[in-house]
Amino acid sequence: MKSYLAAAIQMTSQPDLEKNLAAAEELIELAVGKGAELIGLPENFAFMGAETDKIAQSETIALKADKFLRTMAQRFQVTILGGGFPVPVTGIPDKAYNTAILVDGNGAELARYQKVHLFDVNVPDGNTYQESSTVMAGIDLPPIYGSDSLGKIGLSICYDVRFPELYRYLSQQGADVLFVPAAFTAFTGKDHWKVLLQARAIENTCYIIAPAQTGNNYERRYTHGHAMIIDPWGVVLADAGEEVGVAIAEINPQRLQQVRRQMPSLQHRVFV
Ligand SMILES: O=C(O)CNC(=O)[C@H](CS)NC(=O)CCC(=O)C(=O)O
């Protein structure tokens, strides 16, 4: 593993696939221009809109998002995480998996994860979130991709961040870098987002790359923003604020080793 720059992209995706992919392309280009070699796009990067619209278009979204990620990774010779887009479930027409994929500079898929924890929560922001009405929950623990140059990369999506056992599993498998692409609500995000991410970084002594949605995506849906990269000590290295943009920071294996020497808590686990 070498030192390199990673990017957490922040966007305001809307119910418009082509528009979102065009915006994502610009932001990827911006990140590449700044030297990023590992780039994450947020949950719902390709489409963010009413659940019924999303499911109606899921076949097209799945095909185009997949192709887009491969094309971008190849064109810019970088590794890209597509932080969550709907992939239809065979035989069940009204359901899709909320899927994240990691692709390399050859356009090859390295890892795939289907979101396990679904956001069925009545947030006091005027919205009821019932993700399970259109999303099929994944049943498998997330994968880790071991890259010689970028380190061991673990996947997760958004609401998963509230379930520390998932990240404990990933760190036990040797993860160095944990992706948490999200579309956190503005309401929960203001109090929970940064704290949860820092906790996952500190307790697992891993880097966290957390791409995010921000602003008013559609109707009454407001997302929190603050795409960020956090180091294994819990220090926020970069924070995209609330505007569309990119948070960029160095992923450094020496820093990982240093923190793991200074705080060897992973070696002191008793139960899991
Ligand atoms: O809002 C939308 O339209 C799109 N959102 C999403 O796709 C997903 C599932 S509904 N959002 C979350 O998981 C938010 C979690 C969260 O905010 C928390 O854990 O507090």
Side-chain angles (χ1 to χ4, degrees), residues 8-266:
I9 285 179
Q10 175 152 298
M11 14 188 337
T12 306
S13 297
Q14 296 153 42
D16 186 331
L17 174 64
E18 298 300 338
K19 226 181 179 174
N20 296 333
L21 295 185
E25 179 171 346
E26 266 185 42
L27 291 162
I28 290 168
E29 203 164 351
L30 180 67
V32 170
K34 293 187 173 180
E37 295 181 59
L38 177 63
I39 299 173
L41 291 165
E43 187 185 30
N44 302 323
F45 70 94
F47 189 93
M48 187 135 163
E51 294 284 327
T52 43
D53 295 342
K54 187 177 74 184
I55 209 73
Q57 296 179 43
S58 60
E59 214 156 302
T60 312
I61 299 171
L63 281 171
K64 293 211 169 167
D66 191 277
K67 179 145 185 283
F68 170 80
L69 294 168
R70 293 168 197 273
T71 306
M72 289 299 115
Q74 262 182 307
R75 181 187 304 164
F76 295 115
Q77 290 296 299
V78 291
T79 299
I80 301 183
L81 176 90
F85 58 94
V87 175
V89 181
T90 318
I92 308 181
D94 57 347
K95 288 274 167 82
Y97 287 112
N98 188 345
T99 308
I101 66 172
L102 187 70
V103 294
D104 72 8
N106 296 318
E109 181 176 314
L110 303 173
R112 173 173 291 244
Y113 169 63
Q114 295 163 335
K115 190 181 188 188
V116 168
H117 303 99
L118 302 184
F119 193 55
D120 291 349
V121 179
N122 201 344
V123 178
D125 66 350
N127 292 303
T128 299
Y129 300 83
Q130 197 63 39
E131 190 176 16
S132 67
S133 67
T134 53
V135 174
M136 178 75 87
I139 52 167
D140 296 319
L141 282 159
I144 296 191
Y145 178 73
S147 157
D148 290 341
S149 57
L150 305 177
K152 290 192 175 152
I153 303 168
L155 307 193
S156 72
I157 302 178
C158 196
Y159 187 50
D160 282 332
V161 75
R162 294 180 185 273
F163 301 86
E165 62 275 16
L166 186 150
Y167 302 89
R168 180 43 53 100
Y169 162 78
L170 292 171
S171 62
Q172 279 188 270
Q173 301 296 308
D176 302 306
V177 176
L178 302 170
F179 265 113
V180 189
F184 240 62
T185 72
F187 189 91
T188 55
K190 68 185 186 321
D191 301 316
H192 297 170
W193 169 245
K194 184 163 164 262
V195 183
L196 286 167
L197 292 172
Q198 285 179 308
R200 300 296 86 85
I202 295 166
E203 72 201 2
N204 296 296
T205 51
C206 286
Y207 279 96
I208 300 273
I209 304 174
Q213 292 285 348
T214 191
N216 185 203
N217 302 87
Y218 64 101
E219 295 165 14
R220 280 179 307 172
R221 292 290 169 100
Y222 289 86
T223 44
H224 174 65
H226 296 279
M228 56 178 74
I229 298 181
I230 302 177
D231 89 352
W233 188 260
V235 175
V236 176
L237 300 178
D239 178 339
E242 294 185 354
E243 304 300 318
V244 166
V246 187
I248 293 189
E250 186 183 49
I251 306 296
N252 183 329
Q254 275 81 47
R255 176 67 175 153
L256 264 174
Q257 280 166 17
Q258 181 192 43
V259 169
R260 288 170 181 177
R261 263 197 316 273
Q262 290 172 341
M263 182 49 69
S265 59
L266 272 189

